[in-house]
């Protein structure tokens, strides 16, 4: 079932979903199952599975170092198929511009179609570690808008190098990212909203936001998006703070603000166990307010761990 259909079927009741990352190459999938199992009691309509782009590693040979490209967490589509089979739940693979050519993207989408995966999340992706800014892959898309257009064209039988008469009514439901505090590379929030509208106009069906910790930022973002003519569902993406270093890391990496009350509470913690509890309590209150405001779904960034997400969901669903 499509994300938009899940939301429509819920008839105003807020749903629960979460995002996971594939295991590192060579690791067993069982650890992932162990972290997903406790969350299935809350009946998520879908699970998001991230995609990792390539990165460089240096391999020593005869005293010299060769630079090689690798993917540390491959297997996104395989993970989606495994979860769909094991839990009878919809799965949503992330499809990236960065690290993938248009042809590779087309092949991935064909695999998704064969597996009955009806939803995809179209993202530009981040810059590689050695890059200051995002640089498009040779033969790939520069922006997520182009990626959305490719997916929508494929749904209409328009492949990269040929047009094929559609044999069925298969049609991807496309999600895209939104940024309540603007994308870190955008010069202003209004500029960023215009880019978001371009993605929606290109065929995106729903929006999932980047993490935020101040609900007023989300509410203002939704209001501005609606005023800009963006009328698709907007799903808040939420992450509980888990370790003290998040105070520096999250603002630095994602260019987001942390509320002063949260900063003070985390700063007063003696250890990360206390920080984790503060993060859970803050996230529960944040989620309750969002739920009361009528959001269609609460989407949690689990980073592969479930104990704090389970504690939060137990209070809400």
């Amino acid at each position: 079932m499509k994300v938009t259909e899940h939301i429509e079927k819920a008839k105003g009741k807020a749903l629960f979903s979460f995002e996971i990352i594939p295991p590192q190459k060579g690791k067993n999938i069982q650890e992932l199952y162990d972290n997903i199992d406790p969350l299935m009691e809350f009946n998520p309509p879908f699970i998001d599975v991230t995609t990792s782009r390539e990165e460089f590693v240096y391999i020593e040979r005869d005293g010299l170092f060769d630079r090689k490209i690798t993917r540390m967490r491959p297997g996104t589509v395989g993970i989606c198929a495994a979860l769909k089979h094991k839990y009878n739940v919809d799965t949503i693979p992330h499809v990236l511009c960065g690290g993938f050519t248009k042809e590779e993207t087309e092949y991935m989408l064909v695999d998704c179609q064969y597996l009955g995966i009806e939803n995809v999340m179209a993202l530009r992706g981040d810059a590689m570690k050695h890059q200051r800014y995002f640089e498009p892959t040779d033969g790939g898309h520069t922006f997520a808008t182009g990626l959305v257009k490719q997916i929508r064209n494929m749904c209409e039988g328009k492949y990269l190098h040929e047009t094929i008469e559609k044999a069925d009514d298969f049609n991807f439901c496309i999600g895209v990212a939104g940024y309540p505090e603007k994308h870190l590379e955008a010069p202003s929030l209004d500029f960023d909203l215009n880019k978001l509208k371009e993605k929606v106009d290109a065929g995106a069906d729903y929006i999932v936001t980047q993490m935020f910790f101040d609900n007023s930022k989300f509410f203002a973002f939704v209001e501005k998006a609606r005023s800009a003519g963006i009328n698709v569902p907007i799903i808040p993406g939420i992450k509980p703070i888990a370790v003290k270093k998040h105070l520096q890391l999250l603002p630095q990496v994602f260019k987001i603000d942390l509320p002063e009350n949260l900063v003070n509470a985390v700063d007063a913690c003696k250890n990360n166990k206390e920080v984790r509890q503060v993060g859970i309590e803050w996230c529960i209150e944040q989620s309750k307010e969002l739920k009361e405001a009528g959001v269609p779904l609460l989407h949690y960034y689990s980073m592969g761990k479930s104990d704090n997400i389970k504690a939060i969901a137990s209070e809400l669903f």
Side-chain angles (χ1 to χ4, degrees):
M1 190 182 295
K2 294 177 173 60
V3 169
T4 50
E5 292 173 337
H6 281 297
I7 291 172
E8 184 178 352
K9 185 180 177 181
K11 296 181 178 179
K13 178 183 178 182
L15 301 171
F16 162 81
S17 69
F18 59 95
E19 177 181 298
I20 58 99
I21 56 177
Q24 285 193 346
K25 185 166 54 182
K27 297 291 185 180
N28 194 291
I29 196 173
Q30 186 57 49
E31 183 179 351
L32 185 60
Y33 291 154
D34 291 342
N35 279 292
I36 291 174
D37 285 344
L39 301 179
M40 296 310 295
E41 68 175 273
F42 306 109
N43 299 314
F46 60 84
I47 301 171
D48 267 48
V49 184
T50 65
T51 294
S52 67
R53 66 169 303 169
E54 82 283 19
E55 56 186 276
F56 289 117
V57 296
Y58 292 87
I59 301 173
E60 184 178 4
R61 289 197 179 113
D62 300 324
L64 300 175
F65 287 90
D66 289 337
R67 192 170 77 160
K68 300 292 183 182
I69 288 180
T70 187
R71 294 187 193 276
M72 299 302 292
R73 297 179 184 272
T76 295
V77 174
I79 294 291
C80 284
L83 299 185
K84 185 177 171 67
H85 173 74
K86 180 176 175 62
Y87 297 107
N88 190 29
V89 65
D90 285 316
T91 51
I92 305 179
H94 289 194
V95 185
L96 305 183
C97 298
F100 296 88
T101 66
K102 296 173 185 177
E103 282 78 11
E104 288 170 330
T105 296
E106 183 171 283
Y107 302 151
M108 178 184 181
L109 294 170
V110 169
D111 284 341
C112 290
Q113 186 170 352
Y114 290 154
L115 291 166
I117 293 171
E118 298 184 77
N119 306 278
V120 293
M121 189 76 182
L123 306 166
R124 190 198 71 175
D126 298 323
M128 295 180 71
K129 291 179 181 178
H130 68 283
Q131 297 171 341
R132 185 172 184 182
Y133 300 108
F134 177 85
E135 297 176 13
T137 297
D138 188 23
H141 292 286
T142 303
F143 300 109
T145 301
L147 179 56
V148 172
K149 289 179 180 177
Q150 179 182 355
I151 299 169
R152 188 57 64 210
N153 282 341
M154 183 177 158
C155 294
E156 297 172 0
K158 301 172 186 175
Y159 290 74
L160 291 174
H161 307 302
E162 57 189 325
T163 299
I164 302 172
E165 185 176 349
K166 292 184 66 177
D168 53 42
D169 295 326
F170 194 91
N171 195 19
F172 286 113
C173 181
I174 306 171
V176 293
Y179 300 86
E181 297 173 70
K182 84 174 183 62
H183 189 275
L184 59 90
E185 295 175 17
S188 70
L189 182 57
D190 285 341
F191 180 91
D192 200 32
L193 278 167
N194 287 334
K195 294 300 179 184
L196 179 59
K197 189 171 188 304
E198 287 179 10
K199 290 189 284 188
V200 173
D201 290 345
D205 297 291
Y206 68 97
I207 297 163
V208 180
T209 74
Q210 185 188 59
M211 70 182 75
F212 58 91
F213 294 87
D214 182 347
N215 284 348
S216 66
K217 301 281 180 72
F218 173 79
F219 296 139
F221 169 75
V222 171
E223 184 176 351
K224 293 198 73 165
R226 300 306 186 213
S227 296
I230 297 171
N231 296 313
V232 299
I234 300 176
I235 297 168
I238 310 166
K239 175 180 171 57
I241 277 186
V243 293
K244 207 161 198 174
K245 68 180 180 181
H246 279 164
L247 290 184
Q248 290 75 40
L249 187 65
L250 296 180
Q252 179 183 4
V253 173
F254 299 102
K255 300 298 184 289
I256 57 176
D257 288 334
L258 300 179
E260 197 64 30
N261 289 347
L262 177 60
V263 172
N264 292 338
V266 171
D267 191 50
C269 292
K270 300 182 180 63
N271 52 54
N272 282 335
K273 183 178 179 181
E274 292 184 4
V275 172
R276 202 167 184 83
Q277 186 58 37
V278 167
I280 289 170
E281 292 171 2
W282 183 276
C283 197
I284 288 172
E285 294 307 310
Q286 184 182 5
S287 298
K288 284 181 178 179
E289 185 179 29
L290 290 167
K291 195 175 179 182
E292 289 169 3
V295 298
L297 188 146
L298 294 165
H299 185 71
Y300 295 92
Y301 298 115
S302 74
M303 303 304 293
K305 301 297 182 183
S306 64
D307 60 316
N308 54 353
I309 305 299
K310 178 177 171 60
I312 294 162
S314 295
E315 294 290 326
L316 293 152
F317 300 98

